[in-house]
Amino acid sequence: MPVPQIYVDADACPVKDEVVRVAERHGLVVTFVANFGLRPSRDPMVRSVMVPQGADAADDWIVEQVDAGDLVVTSDIPLAGRALKKGATVIGPTGKPFTEQSIGMALAMRDLNQHLRETGESKGYNAGFTSRERSAFLQVFDAAVQRAKHKAG
């Protein structure tokens, strides 16, 4: 099995630095994918891919590239579902893993929240990203990378 790759849905990802730290520790390549605003890295193990503007351009690019055993970091629930179908490990920036068992409920809650925002029942404010969430992400992501590397042999 090939060495796992790490793909990051980078447009609004608050844990880019943490992803790079874990990837460096394990000698894995990270690919940040975004519509705008990525700074190129001098590190040859960090790639930046700018995709055309479009609702799902970054998601589509990631899904085209990802293989079973790879890792995806995203808070985008539909992207998480598509990556899971390809056999990837998917982790949200808060450290919450998306799984085959949890993705259905996550999609349903996303749709419900979108409906509540559209009807004015909810303002849709997102809570600030906390140091506890950052720490949880680091722990979960590092463990996922270790498992992916072990499976790859």
Side-chain angles (χ1 to χ4, degrees):
M1 196 170 192
V3 174
Q5 302 289 306
I6 300 170
Y7 297 96
V8 179
D9 182 10
D11 278 330
C13 181
V15 291
K16 292 182 195 95
D17 292 339
E18 289 77 6
V19 170
V20 170
R21 264 194 305 190
V22 171
E24 284 176 350
R25 192 166 48 247
H26 293 282
L28 298 179
V29 173
V30 177
T31 303
F32 291 108
V33 184
N35 296 108
F36 60 88
L38 282 180
R39 286 196 188 117
S41 173
R42 295 178 195 265
D43 185 339
M45 300 295 279
V46 177
R47 299 184 325 163
S48 296
V49 174
M50 297 287 288
V51 295
Q53 292 291 332
D56 293 322
D59 299 1
D60 293 342
W61 191 94
I62 291 169
V63 171
E64 287 171 15
Q65 304 301 313
V66 75
D67 286 316
D70 289 342
L71 297 109
V72 175
V73 176
T74 185
S75 57
D76 184 297
I77 298 167
L79 170 58
R82 293 170 67 193
L84 284 169
K85 285 181 182 168
K86 292 199 71 178
T89 297
V90 185
I91 299 171
T94 62
K96 183 176 181 201
F98 291 98
T99 66
E100 290 292 340
Q101 294 75 29
S102 70
I103 196 67
M105 180 61 78
L107 284 165
M109 290 302 296
R110 174 188 172 271
D111 292 345
L112 174 62
N113 287 330
Q114 182 176 344
H115 173 74
L116 292 173
R117 283 189 303 274
E118 288 169 357
T119 61
E121 295 292 320
S122 170
K123 299 290 184 217
Y125 299 122
N126 290 329
F129 195 74
T130 68
S131 59
R132 178 176 286 155
E133 290 167 325
R134 192 174 305 280
S135 178
F137 173 80
L138 269 168
Q139 186 174 18
V140 170
F141 187 64
D142 189 69
V145 167
Q146 289 180 39
R147 281 191 304 277
K149 283 180 61 179
H150 182 72
K151 283 182 188 176

